[in-house]
Amino acid sequence: MPSSVLGQARFSSPGMAPNTCCCSPAAVQRRLPILAWLPNYSLQWLKMDFIAGLSVGLTVIPQALAYAEVAGLPPQYGLYSAFMGCFVYFFLGTSRDVTLGPTAIMSLLVSFYTFHEPAYAVLLAFLSGCIQLVMGVLRLGFLLDFISCPVIKGFTSAATITIGFGQIKNLLGLQNIPRQFLLQVYHTFLRIGETRVGDAVLGLVCMVLLLVLKLMRDHVPPVHPEMPPGVRLSHGLVWAATTARNALVVSFAALVAYSFEVTGYQPFILTGETAEGLPPVRTPPFSVTTANGTISFTEMVQDMGAGLAVVPLMGLLESIAVAKAFAGLASPTGLTNVLGSLVSSYPVTGSFGRTAVNAQSGVCTPAGGLVTVLVLLSLDYLTSLFYYIPKSALAAVIIMAVAPLFDTKIFGTLWRIKRLDLLPLCVTFLLSFWEVQYGILAGALVSLLMLLHSAARPETKVPPTLVSQRALGCSAWREPASGLFLSVSPPRCLGFLECTHVAASTNNPPRWTSHKQGVRLCCPLGTRLRVLLSADLKGFQHFSTLEEAEKYLRQEPGTQPYNTREDSAPEHKIALLQA
């Protein structure tokens, strides 16, 4: 696909000028991105989109079944959650690569807050989507900035261990294991002697096959046009097999289980019955009738508690991370969750794994998602075959999918760069094993306290870029917490002050104005200049360029500052330079 055309289809609408008329073509394309690429659609794009959509479809089917197990829901709910994101993104997608659907981490959160009840899961999808839409309308995305990278890494690492270890019971064929992590660890080791040999062997074989196919996929050389047709065909077959490895391995395991079923002996624990047909379109359940009575909407919301904050925020974080990694814009996650709740979906978000498959398959437009939808719709005729899929095979799929999420390098990286950031990471990591919301909240609070402490007690040090100024008799300091570069020296010495976070007022002027020596400031004009002007600083000066300031400091004639306050003592002169 020509990159220039795709670039226009992907980025032309978001780049619309602020004063563009809401009825202009650019504005319409911004609201409905499909109009940016559909008029230029070609048969070549259709071919590539079909291959990519088929590849993603074969990947998402076994993953959806497996993630439903992580969420504690019947397997069909994973399939219900898989196709609405592809359908919505076909119309509203801003990147050809991104796919929306169930993910391991989102499934784990659903299991925490919905008590393995489908009605709660569907309602959580609806409410999460509404919250995400409101955040988008009110531009509250800045709230995500309070969740720092160490907190996200700590939570992701803990979630990876929780999800992976949670599948050990299925991998070994153990039953009646609690879902709470600490109890799960205890009972798994307590009952390790009850391991079913058939499940354990099949699960380990599936893991080895998935690993081998993944390594083959990573080391397959790219196909070149000058290659002989036979070589290109063999490369294509290897690529197809390794890309659809999840579907191949699960199909292999199901065939093995069916072979044993025919003989009358079944050594594996099977997935069992999966509801046939497509989900009915209906409103989310705003109440639930149980044997003990009816649970009202208010009671359901109270039961989900912190999940109404954690699930939408983590969903947005995942979608934004996927979009940034693949050069896209924010995904329509909120609308997908709202519409998905109408077809019994639980909360979804952007998927790194399937998005990577989409990109590597050569997808050209978001139309690849429509092919994925068609693959999922065809399940109306295949759901009876899911009965024979061993749970150990799905456990192998989950473990191999979440293993790359554990970032082993982050600990060493933070140790080298900023060891103090290991504190929020470890706090989040440890507390997330207890309760997810406590881990994220505690990590965010620790990060905030660290930020406040550094702002209140800034350290000072000489920035390397200003060391050369010592030849002019300057002394330079830096206050990293506030972004300040200070230079206190004899008069006519140029120093720099990066004023990004300067807050000044008439009653409380910056403390660097009290020095009995010259202080020079360097800062972009605009808002920061108005902040300094509002402080009524004595001897305030600023220049348009650094060269003019240097001429002035060398007392060269013909150079005057743009603004000078003459009512000040000469030792308190302050120069503001336009960056």
Side-chain angles (χ1 to χ4, degrees):
M1 167 183 185
S3 57
S4 59
V5 176
L6 179 60
Q8 293 172 3
R10 185 187 297 178
F11 297 115
S12 60
S13 57
M16 183 184 65
N19 58 352
T20 303
C21 175
C22 62
C23 297
S24 67
V28 174
Q29 289 181 2
R30 183 182 180 185
R31 300 299 180 186
L32 199 61
I34 186 177
L35 299 178
W37 55 265
L38 188 59
N40 300 318
Y41 204 74
S42 65
L43 290 177
Q44 178 63 24
W45 291 5
L46 177 61
K47 172 186 173 183
M48 300 304 297
D49 286 343
F50 178 82
I51 294 174
L54 185 62
S55 301
V56 174
L58 294 176
T59 301
V60 72
I61 291 172
Q63 282 191 347
L65 295 172
Y67 290 155
E69 164 66 24
V70 176
L73 301 173
Q76 64 267 21
Y77 283 90
L79 300 173
Y80 297 163
S81 305
F83 73 86
M84 182 55 73
C86 303
F87 182 76
V88 172
Y89 207 81
F90 173 77
F91 294 97
L92 303 179
T94 55
S95 169
R96 57 182 176 177
D97 302 318
V98 175
T99 63
L100 300 176
T103 64
I105 291 180
M106 191 58 59
S107 300
L108 178 66
L109 294 176
V110 169
S111 71
F112 284 154
Y113 297 112
T114 62
F115 321 107
H116 312 147
E117 288 290 340
Y120 277 86
V122 175
L123 181 61
L124 181 59
F126 174 77
L127 296 178
S128 296
C130 292
I131 293 172
Q132 290 166 341
L133 287 174
V134 170
M135 290 182 65
V137 172
L138 300 181
R139 301 184 181 276
L140 299 179
F142 70 90
L143 294 176
L144 301 177
D145 296 336
F146 289 97
I147 306 178
S148 63
C149 178
V151 173
I152 296 173
K153 290 293 185 180
F155 163 73
T156 304
S157 299
T160 300
I161 295 176
T162 302
I163 295 170
F165 195 88
Q167 295 305 308
I168 296 297
K169 64 179 186 295
N170 291 328
L171 196 69
L172 301 180
L174 303 179
Q175 295 180 310
N176 300 321
I177 301 294
R179 285 184 172 267
Q180 204 282 332
F181 178 74
L182 298 179
L183 293 176
Q184 196 173 81
V185 173
Y186 172 76
H187 285 277
T188 298
F189 285 105
L190 183 65
R191 301 183 183 181
I192 197 71
E194 302 175 10
T195 299
R196 296 168 59 100
V197 177
D199 285 299
V201 171
L202 181 63
L204 293 176
V205 169
C206 290
M207 289 182 64
V208 171
L209 289 176
L210 289 171
L211 179 60
V212 171
L213 290 172
K214 182 180 185 302
L215 293 176
M216 289 177 61
R217 179 68 178 85
D218 295 338
H219 293 84
V220 171
V223 178
H224 299 289
E226 60 271 13
M227 288 182 175
V231 175
R232 294 172 60 184
L233 177 61
S234 62
H235 276 236
L237 292 176
V238 172
W239 174 87
T242 54
T243 300
R245 58 185 178 273
N246 288 332
L248 287 179
V249 169
V250 169
S251 300
F252 160 76
L255 183 61
V256 171
Y258 179 75
S259 300
F260 277 100
E261 185 79 12
V262 172
T263 63
Y265 172 70
Q266 187 55 264
F268 313 118
I269 298 177
L270 304 181
T271 299
E273 294 289 344
T274 301
E276 297 184 2
L278 302 177
V281 178
R282 58 190 176 191
T283 59
F286 294 104
S287 63
V288 178
T289 301
T290 65
N292 297 325
T294 300
I295 303 176
S296 66
F297 172 74
T298 303
E299 292 173 326
M300 294 177 70
V301 171
Q302 291 175 348
D303 291 340
M304 289 185 283
L308 294 176
V310 174
V311 172
L313 289 178
M314 296 309 298
L316 289 176
L317 281 174
E318 275 200 87
S319 291
I320 291 173
V322 172
K324 287 183 177 179
F326 290 88
L329 299 176
S331 304
T333 312
L335 183 60
T336 299
N337 281 321
V338 171
L339 296 179
S341 67
L342 302 179
V343 290
S344 302
S345 166
Y346 67 80
V348 301
T349 184
S351 168
F352 265 110
R354 295 191 295 276
T355 297
V357 170
N358 210 22
Q360 294 165 0
S361 302
V363 67
C364 294
T365 69
L370 190 60
V371 180
T372 302
V373 173
L374 295 177
V375 173
L376 292 167
L377 292 178
S378 67
L379 297 178
D380 188 23
Y381 307 100
L382 301 176
T383 48
S384 59
L385 302 179
F386 296 157
Y387 178 92
Y388 298 100
I389 297 178
K391 286 191 174 183
S392 58
L394 294 179
V397 170
I398 295 173
I399 292 174
M400 297 305 296
V402 301
L405 297 179
F406 190 88
D407 190 353
T408 56
K409 297 180 181 179
I410 187 63
F411 297 93
T413 301
L414 292 180
W415 181 263
R416 293 191 307 270
I417 297 176
K418 189 178 181 182
R419 297 179 182 178
L420 194 58
D421 278 344
L422 287 171
L423 181 59
L425 185 146
C426 293
V427 168
T428 306
F429 178 77
L430 295 175
L431 288 182
S432 292
F433 290 118
W434 177 29
E435 289 286 349
V436 173
Q437 65 267 26
Y438 296 154
I440 296 175
L441 180 60
L445 287 177
V446 171
S447 296
L448 181 60
L449 291 175
M450 289 168 52
L451 177 63
L452 294 176
H453 179 270
S454 61
R457 306 286 188 189
E459 63 173 326
T460 58
K461 58 185 178 182
V462 178
T465 56
L466 300 182
V467 171
S468 60
Q469 295 186 27
R470 288 182 173 178
L472 299 177
C474 296
S475 298
W477 288 270
R478 180 189 179 195
E479 298 192 46
S482 56
L484 303 183
F485 286 89
L486 280 79
S487 177
V488 182
S489 60
R492 294 191 298 275
C493 173
L494 178 63
F496 297 87
L497 175 56
E498 205 291 308
C499 305
T500 305
H501 302 290
V502 169
S505 67
T506 303
N507 297 329
N508 185 24
R511 62 176 179 269
W512 30 263
T513 62
S514 62
H515 290 287
K516 298 299 181 180
Q517 297 171 331
V519 180
R520 307 288 188 261
L521 311 182
C522 178
C523 176
L525 295 179
T527 303
R528 296 163 193 144
L529 174 58
R530 290 193 295 270
V531 170
L532 292 172
L533 287 173
S534 68
D536 194 24
L537 301 175
K538 303 298 182 181
F540 181 85
Q541 299 176 7
H542 71 271
F543 300 84
S544 61
T545 65
L546 182 61
E547 290 75 18
E548 290 185 6
E550 290 175 341
K551 290 179 181 179
Y552 174 78
L553 293 171
R554 295 192 184 98
Q555 294 296 320
E556 293 186 11
T559 304
Q560 295 295 329
Y562 284 158
N563 186 346
T564 304
R565 295 181 183 241
E566 301 294 348
D567 57 345
S568 63
E571 66 268 18
H572 289 281
K573 287 185 179 180
I574 300 173
L576 178 66
L577 310 177
Q578 181 179 15

